[in-house]
Amino acid sequence: MSKLLDIKTLGQLKKSAYKSRSVKDELRANLIEQLKKREGGFEGIIGFEDTVIPDLQTAILSRHNILLLGLRGQAKTRIARLLINLLDEYVPYIEGSDLFDDPYHPISWYGHSTITEKGDDTPIGWIHRSERYTEKLATPDVTVADLIGDVDPIKAATLKLTYSDERVIHFGLIPRAHRGIFVINELPDLQARIQVSLFNILQERDIQIRGFKLRLPLDIQFVFTANPEDYTNRGSIVTPLKDRIESQILTHYPRTVEISRKITQQEASLTPEQLSTVEADSLVKNLIEQIAFEARSSEYIDKKSGVSARLTISAYENLISNAERRMIMNHESNTFVRITDFLGVIPAITGKIELVYEGELEGPGKVANILIGKAIKTTLLEFFPDPEKAKKAKGVNPYASIINWFGEGNNLALVDDMSLIDYKKELNEVAGLKDLVKKLHPRITENQQLLLMEFVLHGLSEFSQLNKGFLDNGFAFSDMFNSLFNLQPDEDDLDLDDDRYN
């Protein structure tokens, strides 16, 4: 490659081993090399190895334009951006050309005239693959001039050209993406008349600008992304355009908590200080992912809108930061994530869910709390016996001592800025709680033990074995039976119905 970059004229290029090929042939050839070596080619894309990626590779081998169709937060744009890795590292072009003309196959007036005038002395430049990627977000205000081009009267006046001269045209984004990858994100947001302007480019590869019938055999790999057409009333992809996009590939959300967790851990942006001082157990990492799974099946959330993977990423970042905040306030050198820290993830949830009517009645904060509760209820069964079955079983109920302690009139408040010493003291006061955790999980650290002790209390409340009240900055646990009759909190004056998000 270094020898090729030394080539500065068309004559030198002709004497070299370089062979020109279309961008789709380029993508295809480089993909074939990757497949032979069994290389991934789509680093950072997790969970699509057996579904989306094979379909994408098939489309590239077929030299198709591609539509990635799926709900928000399904890595559609990221996949499109990774396609540049399949381009050659450098390709030559006629220096000075706005359209990066191929020296062997020029398409613009400048390219043709330069070669006619200078022949083998035509100056050659080299363009890196990172410069051959163009991305445009489709918005209702996008015009044909933006995408295709328009007549430039200032250019005509400056160069003293008539409007019939091809040189007065100012080319739009698509012609300037010649010999590269052009991506239009959120295609349904593009007005129908603008979508129509893409017909000829996709099928006949020519463009028409204000009466100019300009035959420009553009060499472009098109990639479009879109949400499903029935998502709200934003618009749709016009049928003739959809017909011209040869491969439509359906994306999806992670199928398992494990895959979702890998994505979150890969994408979460944490500081070195947070990584070294805040311990996040596997339990809390799984709980974060379970929240998203609960949201995607919730009757309060619009399934057509979807629940982005960005929810879990933002939620995990907030979870770590909430624990860090407590550590700083208590002048501690390190800490670990507690269940009370999940109060801090609610702002990351409320902005990323689209509620249906029933959800609007509850309110976004309440819905977020419901989702966290359901995640706790689902995850509890992976670590402890089912409280409902344990209650009905003939044998000894492993939770009996804990429930009886609260039944004797005791209650417990856990706030999110509580020091480790106070946190530990409060949990150890609950009869039978530590013994239950030690019996079922004997080989864990003290931090993990405390986390599971709190987790049991939250789990029992989700199974209606204990009452959990929401404080401004934490939770209060009390007996389920007594709470039905005592409208006022106990002597601790706990406001059990009012939290910071309701």
Side-chain angles (χ1 to χ4, degrees):
M1 177 55 70
S2 59
K3 290 182 179 179
L4 282 175
L5 295 180
D6 292 335
I7 294 172
K8 301 299 182 185
T9 66
L10 178 58
Q12 292 174 332
L13 186 66
K14 288 177 178 177
K15 293 175 183 176
S16 72
Y18 177 79
K19 291 183 179 179
S20 176
R21 56 186 175 183
S22 72
V23 64
K24 289 180 178 178
D25 285 331
E26 199 178 315
L27 291 166
R28 172 184 160 85
N30 291 328
L31 174 60
I32 289 171
E33 290 303 311
Q34 279 194 357
L35 292 173
K36 285 178 180 178
K37 297 174 185 176
R38 291 196 169 272
E39 294 176 353
F42 293 92
E43 289 76 14
I45 302 298
I46 301 170
F48 287 170
E49 295 85 357
D50 299 321
T51 51
V52 177
I53 299 304
D55 289 342
L56 187 63
Q57 291 171 336
T58 300
I60 293 169
L61 292 174
S62 297
R63 298 181 298 180
H64 284 176
N65 293 310
I66 297 165
L67 169 62
L68 295 169
L69 189 67
L71 296 171
R72 57 181 174 173
Q74 292 185 352
K76 300 186 294 294
T77 303
R78 182 160 188 168
I79 289 171
R81 290 174 180 173
L82 286 172
L83 286 176
I84 63 171
N85 295 327
L86 290 174
L87 294 171
D88 290 341
E89 188 175 6
Y90 287 94
V91 292
Y93 70 99
I94 298 173
E95 210 165 63
S97 168
D98 288 341
L99 304 188
F100 298 107
D101 281 286
D102 184 339
Y104 291 158
H105 305 288
I107 64 169
S108 70
W109 178 91
Y110 178 87
H112 286 297
S113 62
T114 302
I115 288 180
T116 301
E117 179 187 341
K118 299 182 179 179
D120 284 353
D121 292 328
T122 299
I124 299 298
W126 294 85
I127 181 171
H128 190 259
R129 59 185 165 208
S130 61
E131 300 176 77
R132 298 169 63 198
Y133 177 88
T134 307
E135 186 176 296
K136 177 64 178 172
L137 176 63
T139 53
D141 61 338
V142 172
T143 64
V144 174
D146 294 333
L147 294 180
I148 312 300
D150 204 348
V151 171
D152 186 349
I154 296 175
K155 196 174 182 181
T158 304
L159 299 176
K160 297 180 180 180
L161 300 171
T162 65
Y163 285 133
S164 61
D165 194 307
E166 179 186 329
R167 287 172 287 174
V168 303
I169 295 175
H170 175 78
F171 291 110
L173 286 171
I174 292 178
R176 289 173 181 271
H178 177 54
R179 303 179 71 206
I181 298 168
F182 187 80
V183 178
I184 297 183
N185 277 321
E186 309 300 344
L187 184 59
D189 282 348
L190 210 58
Q191 291 185 40
R193 65 184 182 86
I194 310 301
Q195 292 185 37
V196 169
S197 70
L198 300 175
F199 289 178
N200 272 21
I201 296 175
L202 286 173
Q203 196 72 45
E204 287 82 23
R205 297 197 305 170
D206 64 2
I207 62 171
Q208 295 180 20
I209 299 173
R210 291 191 184 273
F212 279 98
K213 279 195 172 182
L214 205 57
R215 179 65 180 169
L216 277 184
L218 294 172
D219 178 23
I220 299 173
Q221 169 68 56
F222 282 96
V223 180
F224 304 95
T225 74
N227 284 303
E229 291 180 44
D230 58 352
Y231 172 39
T232 70
N233 58 354
R234 306 174 324 136
S236 61
I237 305 171
V238 297
T239 305
L241 176 59
K242 203 170 181 182
D243 183 56
R244 284 167 167 80
I245 304 171
E246 296 94 337
S247 283
Q248 175 178 290
I249 298 170
L250 303 178
T251 58
H252 57 80
Y253 287 123
R255 303 273 171 86
T256 66
V257 168
E258 290 73 22
I259 292 172
S260 186
R261 178 172 153 178
K262 284 182 182 178
I263 295 170
T264 300
Q265 296 304 307
Q266 173 183 276
E267 299 299 322
S269 177
L270 302 178
T271 67
E273 293 83 5
Q274 288 175 322
L275 291 169
S276 62
T277 59
V278 182
E279 175 190 329
D281 189 72
S282 177
L283 166 61
V284 296
K285 291 177 180 178
N286 285 353
L287 270 177
I288 285 287
E289 308 309 327
Q290 191 62 43
I291 291 170
F293 278 80
E294 298 293 344
R296 287 169 192 145
S297 61
S298 173
E299 67 272 22
Y300 297 122
I301 294 172
D302 186 359
K303 292 177 177 60
K304 292 178 182 177
S305 169
V307 178
S308 168
R310 286 181 281 271
L311 182 148
T312 55
I313 296 165
S314 298
Y316 183 68
E317 291 168 349
N318 269 13
L319 187 69
I320 299 297
S321 295
N322 201 75
E324 182 186 34
R325 171 180 167 274
R326 178 184 62 252
M327 178 189 73
I328 295 168
M329 290 172 64
N330 289 315
H331 304 287
E332 296 169 344
S333 59
N334 55 67
T335 190
F336 63 93
V337 176
R338 306 170 187 172
I339 305 299
T340 46
D341 289 319
F342 277 80
L343 280 172
V345 311
I346 292 176
I349 299 173
T350 53
K352 291 180 174 60
I353 53 176
E354 199 160 324
L355 303 178
V356 294
Y357 177 71
E358 292 80 4
E360 295 288 355
L361 292 177
E362 295 288 346
K366 181 80 173 290
V367 170
N369 275 319
I370 290 171
L371 295 176
I372 294 170
K374 286 186 174 182
I376 289 171
K377 186 175 183 178
T378 301
T379 309
L380 181 79
L381 302 181
E382 299 175 16
F383 293 84
F384 296 97
D386 186 330
E388 290 180 348
K389 291 181 180 178
K391 186 178 180 181
K392 297 174 183 177
K394 294 180 180 179
V396 178
N397 184 349
Y399 303 107
S401 299
I402 301 168
I403 296 169
N404 290 339
W405 185 82
F406 285 99
E408 292 168 1
N410 297 304
N411 56 45
L412 175 69
L414 297 174
V415 293
D416 64 359
D417 58 357
M418 184 179 281
S419 69
L420 177 60
I421 294 172
D422 292 338
Y423 178 72
K424 184 177 179 180
K425 179 184 175 184
E426 290 291 319
L427 288 173
N428 282 330
E429 284 185 0
V430 181
L433 184 56
K434 186 174 182 178
D435 293 336
L436 172 69
V437 173
K438 284 180 71 175
K439 181 181 178 181
L440 295 175
H441 301 279
R443 299 178 180 177
I444 56 175
T445 65
E446 184 183 25
N447 288 350
Q448 290 174 316
Q449 186 181 88
L450 291 170
L451 173 64
L452 285 177
M453 288 167 70
E454 184 191 354
F455 183 52
V456 168
L457 298 179
H458 287 271
L460 288 175
S461 74
E462 295 302 326
F463 279 93
S464 302
Q465 308 287 302
L466 294 177
N467 179 62
K468 179 168 72 173
F470 293 91
L471 307 173
D472 278 345
N473 61 341
F475 303 95
F477 298 92
S478 59
D479 178 60
M480 193 72 193
F481 184 72
N482 287 340
S483 68
L484 296 175
F485 300 99
N486 297 331
L487 297 179
Q488 295 299 323
D490 287 342
E491 55 189 359
D492 292 324
D493 194 28
L494 303 174
D495 188 356
L496 301 185
D497 295 318
D498 186 24
D499 71 282
R500 67 178 109 166
Y501 300 108
N502 284 325

